[in-house]
Amino acid sequence: MEEMAASQENDSEMDCSDNEDCYDYNDYYNDEDSDVEHIDLLKIDPEYFEYKCLSEEEIERLLNETVEDLSNRLRISLSLAKVLLHSHYWNSNEVIVKYEENPQQTLISSRIDPPVPPRNIIFTPTHMTCPVCVTLHHVDRFFYLSCAHMFCKDCWTMHFEVQVNQGISTAISCMARDCVVLAPEDFVLKHLQHKTSIREKYQHFTFQDYVKSHPELRFCPGPNCSVIVHSNEIKAKRVVCDQCKTIFCFRCGCDYHAPTDCQVIKKWLTKCADDSETANYISAHTKDCPKCHICIEKNGGCNHMQCYNCKHDFCWMCLGDWKSHGSEYYECSRYRENPNIAHESVHAQAREALKKYLHYYERWENHSKSLKLEEQTLGKLRARINEKVMSGLGTWIDWQYLFTAANLLAKCRYTLQYTYPFAYYMDAGPRKELFEYQQAQLEAEIENLSWKIERAETTDRGDLENQMDIAEKRRTTLLKDFLDV
Amino acid sequence: MAALPRRIIKETQRLMQEPVPGISAVPDDSNARYFHVIVTGPEDSPFEGGLFKLELFLPEDYPMSAPKVRFITKIYHPNIDRLGRICLDILKDKWSPALQIRTVLLSIQALLSAPNPDDPLANDVAELWKVNESEAIRNAKEWTRRYAMDN
Ligand SMILES: [Zn+2]
Ligand SMILES: [Zn+2]
Ligand SMILES: [Zn+2]
Ligand SMILES: [Zn+2]
Ligand SMILES: [Zn+2]
Ligand SMILES: [Zn+2]
């Protein structure tokens, strides 16, 4: 163990030279034990992710600590520290390095100071006309930011009120034409002193902006959920919200999408939305039995179909014989590209591109439907078990393993669904071949598991648990090899 | 209705006393925040010789919010759509309370002299303006003759 820890430490150190993710390796040395543990956990579980679900108050405290710390180190006001942090995605170290190197330039690029310093302000008159309200006021009533553009108190207040009502907060700038200087928090709040509801709105919006600009924070996308997730690892990993149980990707905040990465899944979902009409005809609920041609309706999630008429076993996706399918699942999930397509006409290429897309889309869509159907199966299962328990056939605890199996099935099929966009965008080559091989393996084991769960009462418990184990192993193997976050 | 802010009164007075060349802006008899505007098509532009009617409205929170301006006369221009809405940065995110009705109208006049098809509002017009500028200019002249003259 001692030796292993040491060598892992060296690896990580090497990585740090060109890896921006190693920003907190101070913690790494202080917290050696837990980090070794962390690496071990990642080896077992490629989806392992450390995060905390926090409340707005806890996040506010966390942000305030960062702000105070920077304000002390650079001897600037809290308000300016906030502007600097917000414009640097809350990376204190970057702000400090930049500021120590060139404070003036840092203040200009963060829009705290104007690009050209203002001329000296000399108050000769006792009264001045405000350029916005064109009213003569005593000079006491004038206020200005670092750019020295002077406006009266009432105009500033009105300006902030209108901006906040439009949802603008951290981006409010000076009122002068083409002036880019931002109004820092203390300046805004001072002018909204007597406007309680606008003040509150302003503080709400700034908080939203701060969280959104902070790469280590992510609002839970669950409906009406106020949880904010914090993690030091800015990665596309799975988060389950403590409060509302929503599952999402930490990096992009969308539905979790391993093994596909954030950009690719976005591209895929956009493509699916754009091509939804072309793909519409696919959503068939019925197909004809390939042997006796009787019409079969799919009412379960499992893609291993058995004709109720002739008992022929076939695959719902490709209509191939299920018996040979087991060993050649590969032929069902992968798409065989035409190797000579480059020499074909533009028209043929377009047709081929559509065919390829539909192949992947059909499978993506089918697994998504299967997930929903399997949820219904689980409901029916729960009702049947309830009956059994009521009539004295075992206890709920005895039947618990079936629910565990159903949950595992859902988790595996979810990953399987997201392997299709991954494969669609993959370049041909040995890596894609390996991926398709593992995908086919996972696919086969998932359908076996689904088949067994649908026939739960007659399936042997040991057999089912064995199948669960195999399916999850296939899933983890695929993620270990291809989840690159 | 609240009393008219001093700022609006001052701006209106100045618009009447020293009008911008080629632009007339007259407040409505019943609503001092609503202006009837006529812009003369700038020389050496496809809009030359035309008189373009616009409406300009100062919202309640003017000058903290930009005036609302719209062309009433039909015009063939890449930054003005079928409904007469204008794509102009100072009417949107680049608005500053220090800008005035006068500056807005001058910017609109400048937009007629120099259409910007790279920041389009009327997409088909902008497209033609980019691929076949001479045809687009011919269309703009034709529309000017048809909709902005003799009325
Ligand atoms: Zn004022
Ligand atoms: Zn300024
Ligand atoms: Zn939540
Ligand atoms: Zn993501
Ligand atoms: Zn059959
Ligand atoms: Zn198949």
Side-chain angles (χ1 to χ4, degrees):
Chain A
M1 194 63 205
E2 209 58 64
E3 231 180 85
M4 225 180 99
S7 83
Q8 272 160 357
E9 208 172 285
N10 282 336
D11 283 346
S12 304
E13 221 183 322
M14 273 170 62
D15 285 341
C16 280
S17 59
D18 52 11
N19 188 345
E20 81 264 32
D21 285 333
C22 286
Y23 57 101
D24 62 350
Y25 63 91
N26 282 331
D27 282 355
Y28 182 85
Y29 289 107
N30 299 337
D31 217 4
E32 216 167 286
D33 285 344
S34 81
D35 237 79
V36 170
E37 191 186 314
H38 178 114
I39 289 164
D40 282 342
L41 282 165
L42 258 177
K43 273 194 175 157
I44 302 161
D45 177 8
E47 291 173 300
Y48 177 76
F49 186 47
E50 264 177 37
Y51 60 89
K52 280 199 191 93
C53 290
L54 302 173
S55 67
E56 282 178 19
E57 294 72 43
E58 286 169 310
I59 295 294
E60 227 160 303
R61 221 173 301 136
L62 193 130
L63 294 178
N64 285 340
E65 275 166 26
T66 317
V67 171
E68 272 164 39
D69 184 59
L70 186 72
S71 141
N72 289 336
R73 289 192 60 172
L74 300 184
R75 287 188 207 84
I76 54 171
S77 75
L78 291 171
S79 209
L80 291 190
K82 251 186 193 174
V83 178
L84 282 174
L85 283 165
H86 181 60
S87 62
H88 290 84
Y89 304 101
W90 293 81
N91 188 335
S92 285
N93 291 340
E94 197 191 322
V95 176
I96 292 164
V97 169
K98 271 196 186 173
Y99 192 84
E100 278 168 357
E101 205 178 278
N102 191 342
Q104 240 171 339
Q105 192 47 48
T106 311
L107 293 176
I108 292 170
S109 67
S110 302
R111 295 170 60 187
I112 290 170
D113 280 354
V116 183
R119 276 168 292 162
N120 282 343
I121 314 158
I122 314 156
F123 290 112
T124 35
T126 54
H127 287 76
M128 274 172 35
T129 302
C130 167
V132 169
C133 61
V134 280
T135 308
L136 197 68
H137 294 294
H138 192 268
V139 285
D140 291 356
R141 289 181 64 85
F142 283 83
F143 292 88
Y144 52 91
L145 297 166
S146 60
C147 52
H149 293 126
M150 286 192 272
F151 301 98
C152 80
K153 193 171 169 276
D154 295 344
C155 285
W156 280 117
T157 303
M158 257 205 296
H159 174 54
F160 295 144
E161 205 174 330
V162 168
Q163 295 284 304
V164 172
N165 277 327
Q166 287 171 20
I168 304 167
S169 61
T170 53
I172 301 178
S173 58
C174 166
M175 282 193 277
R177 182 178 188 175
D178 294 328
C179 180
V180 296
V181 173
L182 293 173
E185 214 171 273
D186 55 356
F187 190 81
V188 176
L189 288 175
K190 188 173 75 188
H191 287 95
L192 293 177
Q193 222 165 7
H194 305 294
K195 306 261 177 183
T196 323
S197 82
I198 294 287
R199 250 181 103 94
E200 277 168 14
K201 254 193 192 171
Y202 173 74
Q203 282 168 316
H204 172 74
F205 290 143
T206 49
F207 181 70
Q208 300 263 322
D209 281 4
Y210 294 148
V211 172
K212 283 179 190 157
S213 70
H214 199 311
E216 293 175 7
L217 301 177
R218 169 81 45 206
F219 279 112
C220 167
N224 302 319
C225 182
S226 61
V227 162
I228 298 157
V229 179
H230 176 238
S231 175
N232 292 319
E233 248 190 302
I234 309 155
K235 291 191 171 169
K237 293 266 183 136
R238 177 173 53 201
V239 171
V240 185
C241 173
D242 280 356
Q243 290 294 314
C244 70
K245 308 297 170 208
T246 300
I247 299 173
F248 58 97
C249 162
F250 179 72
R251 189 175 209 139
C252 70
C254 297
D255 286 350
Y256 182 60
H257 48 67
T260 309
D261 68 35
C262 302
Q263 286 85 21
V264 170
I265 196 64
K266 210 169 159 192
K267 214 159 93 184
W268 171 256
L269 292 173
T270 312
K271 182 168 178 58
C272 291
D274 290 349
D275 297 352
S276 62
E277 271 172 48
T278 339
N280 254 347
Y281 78 92
I282 281 177
S283 38
H285 289 287
T286 59
K287 283 184 183 176
D288 291 347
C289 165
K291 205 169 172 192
C292 73
H293 307 292
I294 205 163
C295 183
I296 305 226
E297 193 189 358
K298 189 168 186 285
N299 47 22
C302 185
N303 293 303
H304 171 184
M305 304 299 291
Q306 190 177 52
C307 172
Y308 64 88
N309 185 42
C310 71
K311 303 290 172 212
H312 175 57
D313 288 284
F314 66 96
C315 164
W316 174 261
M317 276 321 303
C318 67
L319 300 176
D321 190 327
W322 190 263
K323 276 184 222 91
S324 57
H325 206 270
S327 52
E328 290 161 23
Y329 218 101
Y330 196 57
E331 297 305 325
C332 179
S333 51
R334 81 159 169 172
Y335 181 74
R336 265 185 208 261
E337 273 176 82
N338 177 349
N340 298 317
I341 194 67
H343 308 295
E344 303 273 343
S345 69
V346 178
H347 192 72
Q349 285 183 18
R351 207 171 337 116
E352 173 70 12
L354 180 66
K355 227 175 97 192
K356 177 180 168 183
Y357 165 65
L358 288 177
H359 172 92
Y360 288 98
Y361 178 77
E362 197 176 359
R363 279 151 181 82
W364 153 269
E365 183 61 20
N366 187 51
H367 285 302
S368 153
K369 272 193 208 142
S370 283
L371 269 168
K372 288 186 194 108
L373 289 167
E374 278 159 354
E375 219 174 277
Q376 290 170 17
T377 309
L378 183 64
K380 283 183 228 153
L381 192 68
R382 190 171 284 127
R384 285 207 304 273
I385 290 175
N386 195 24
E387 257 171 54
K388 284 183 206 291
V389 174
M390 289 307 163
S391 55
L393 281 166
T395 67
W396 273 105
I397 293 167
D398 294 334
W399 294 103
Q400 198 53 48
Y401 76 98
L402 275 180
F403 296 112
T404 316
N407 284 332
L408 183 89
L409 172 64
K411 194 170 154 191
C412 288
R413 199 182 285 287
Y414 190 90
T415 303
L416 180 59
Q417 185 193 345
Y418 281 85
T419 60
Y420 281 99
F422 187 89
Y424 176 75
Y425 289 108
M426 234 177 157
D427 292 327
R431 195 163 155 77
K432 185 169 186 181
E433 276 167 37
L434 175 68
F435 182 78
E436 284 174 331
Y437 172 75
Q438 295 197 2
Q439 181 187 40
Q441 299 259 304
L442 176 62
E443 187 125 38
E445 298 309 342
I446 284 173
E447 298 309 344
N448 284 342
L449 182 61
S450 180
W451 176 269
K452 284 176 181 169
I453 292 173
E454 276 182 14
R455 288 152 191 79
E457 285 111 314
T458 52
T459 305
D460 176 61
R461 178 169 173 178
D463 188 20
L464 184 68
E465 281 175 341
N466 197 23
Q467 190 59 47
M468 283 163 70
D469 208 44
I470 297 173
E472 176 61 4
K473 269 212 188 88
R474 296 272 189 248
R475 193 183 80 88
T476 348
T477 306
L478 184 140
L479 289 179
K480 260 185 213 161
D481 290 349
F482 293 95
L483 179 58
D484 182 23
V485 292
Chain B
M1 190 143 185
L4 207 58
R6 189 182 162 77
R7 157 87 186 242
I8 296 180
I9 298 169
K10 283 278 167 195
E11 275 200 71
T12 310
Q13 279 172 357
R14 191 164 165 231
L15 277 170
M16 310 309 271
Q17 282 158 10
E18 340 159 14
V20 190
I23 298 172
S24 101
V26 184
D28 190 79
D29 291 337
S30 59
N31 185 350
R33 287 176 177 269
Y34 185 92
F35 289 75
H36 302 274
V37 179
I38 294 169
V39 174
T40 315
E43 265 176 48
D44 299 322
S45 80
F47 312 101
E48 186 175 353
L51 290 177
F52 296 88
K53 277 197 213 166
L54 292 85
E55 55 180 359
L56 182 147
F57 179 71
L58 304 175
E60 193 57 41
D61 47 17
Y62 179 80
M64 302 310 158
S65 288
K68 309 254 178 282
V69 199
R70 190 179 75 92
F71 272 81
I72 295 170
T73 306
K74 272 173 80 98
I75 181 165
Y76 193 87
H77 190 289
N79 311 104
I80 301 161
D81 74 3
R82 266 174 241 285
L83 299 173
R85 291 175 300 195
I86 309 160
C87 179
L88 188 63
D89 56 357
I90 62 159
L91 291 176
K92 293 168 187 160
D93 55 318
K94 286 282 177 349
W95 172 252
S96 141
L99 291 166
Q100 301 178 9
I101 301 173
R102 175 180 294 270
T103 29
V104 168
L105 295 176
L106 280 167
S107 300
I108 292 172
Q109 201 179 39
L111 195 64
L112 295 188
S113 297
N116 177 10
D118 291 322
D119 184 17
L121 193 59
N123 280 313
D124 49 336
V125 178
E127 199 51 45
L128 189 63
W129 216 282
K130 273 196 274 191
V131 297
N132 191 344
E133 196 180 331
S134 58
E135 196 190 327
I137 288 174
R138 224 177 307 127
N139 285 348
K141 281 185 180 160
E142 171 59 25
W143 281 42
T144 304
R145 206 171 43 76
R146 205 183 314 161
Y147 302 112
M149 289 185 188
D150 313 310
N151 43 15

